Amino acid sequence: MLRRFLPVILLASTLFVSCKKSVDEATGDNSGSNNGSNIVYNVNKAILLQLVNDVRTSGCTCGTTVMPPVAKLAWNDQLAKAAYDHSVDMKTNNYFSHTSLDGTTFDQRIKAAGYIWKSAGENIALGYATEQDVMTGWLNSEGHCKNIMNAGFKDIGAGQDGSYWTQAFGSK
């Protein structure tokens, strides 16, 4: 299966990240099935939020950069809507980029969803089936991992369409 991903702004080569233990040890149903109110924009928000926050509160090494523990993120539905809409657009129009085919950028999508940010970021991925799989992929990419560990971000939302995933981060 083809697996591709791009972090926003930070386009880095794939490197080993010592955060995998946190992802592997996360509790809960990692199937991503639609079996409850935790499913928002085709993502099990409880699982994804737990995976992200477990790594953030433990700290990890992104590539060669040691990232200390940082505060947990809160789920934000505006960010989730922006992320989901981008995943749908990428799948519908068969492309993979932080910039939409109409030229819209991640920060514009986040603002259009109603989230007025002072800092924002985005991770995208293609080819993953579950929240745990996509998190492992993002953590094994230095740029994605640094977005996840960015202490300046306070909120997160995510959306999936098929095997297209988008994570949106922000701070108001």
Side-chain angles (χ1 to χ4, degrees), residues 10-11 30-31 36 45 47 85 99-100 102 114 126 134 161 168-169:
L10 305 169
L11 298 175
N30 291 325
S31 67
K45 78 176 189 178
I47 290 173
D85 287 349
T99 304
S100 300
D102 68 1
L126 175 61
V134 75
D161 190 24
F169 303 94

Side-chain angles (χ1 to χ4, degrees), residues 83-168:
Y84 174 73
D85 287 349
H86 188 54
S87 293
V88 169
D89 187 52
M90 287 190 294
K91 181 182 177 200
T92 300
N93 294 297
N94 194 31
Y95 74 97
F96 184 71
S97 175
H98 290 288
T99 304
S100 300
L101 295 180
D102 68 1
T104 305
T105 59
F106 76 93
D107 53 323
Q108 294 168 326
R109 288 189 294 274
I110 290 169
K111 184 177 180 183
Y115 188 92
I116 307 305
W117 55 270
K118 70 176 182 180
S119 64
E122 179 179 81
N123 285 344
I124 60 175
L126 175 61
Y128 296 91
T130 68
E131 290 79 4
Q132 184 169 354
D133 291 343
V134 75
M135 273 296 295
T136 298
W138 279 326
L139 291 173
N140 281 314
S141 163
E142 185 173 9
H144 292 94
C145 181
K146 285 181 176 180
N147 272 348
I148 291 167
M149 293 301 297
N150 186 327
F153 295 144
K154 306 300 179 202
D155 301 313
I156 186 174
Q160 172 197 13
D161 190 24
S163 61
Y164 288 83
W165 295 78
T166 305
Q167 266 183 332

Side-chain angles (χ1 to χ4, degrees), residues 5-85:
F5 44 88
L6 290 173
V8 69
I9 300 169
L10 305 169
L11 298 175
S13 61
T14 302
L15 298 170
F16 175 78
V17 179
S18 63
C19 303
K20 189 172 181 338
K21 183 176 180 186
S22 296
V23 173
D24 289 342
E25 290 179 352
T27 60
D29 173 17
N30 291 325
S31 67
S33 62
N34 191 3
N35 61 358
S37 63
N38 280 324
I39 305 300
V40 178
Y41 299 113
N42 294 333
V43 170
N44 187 316
K45 78 176 189 178
I47 290 173
L48 188 64
L49 194 57
Q50 179 181 349
L51 292 168
V52 167
N53 285 332
D54 284 353
V55 171
R56 285 177 63 90
T57 58
S58 299
C60 67
T61 301
C62 300
T64 59
T65 306
V66 174
M67 304 294 290
V70 294
K72 291 180 177 184
L73 295 175
W75 186 267
N76 181 280
D77 286 331
Q78 293 167 321
L79 291 175
K81 172 82 168 118
Y84 174 73
D85 287 349

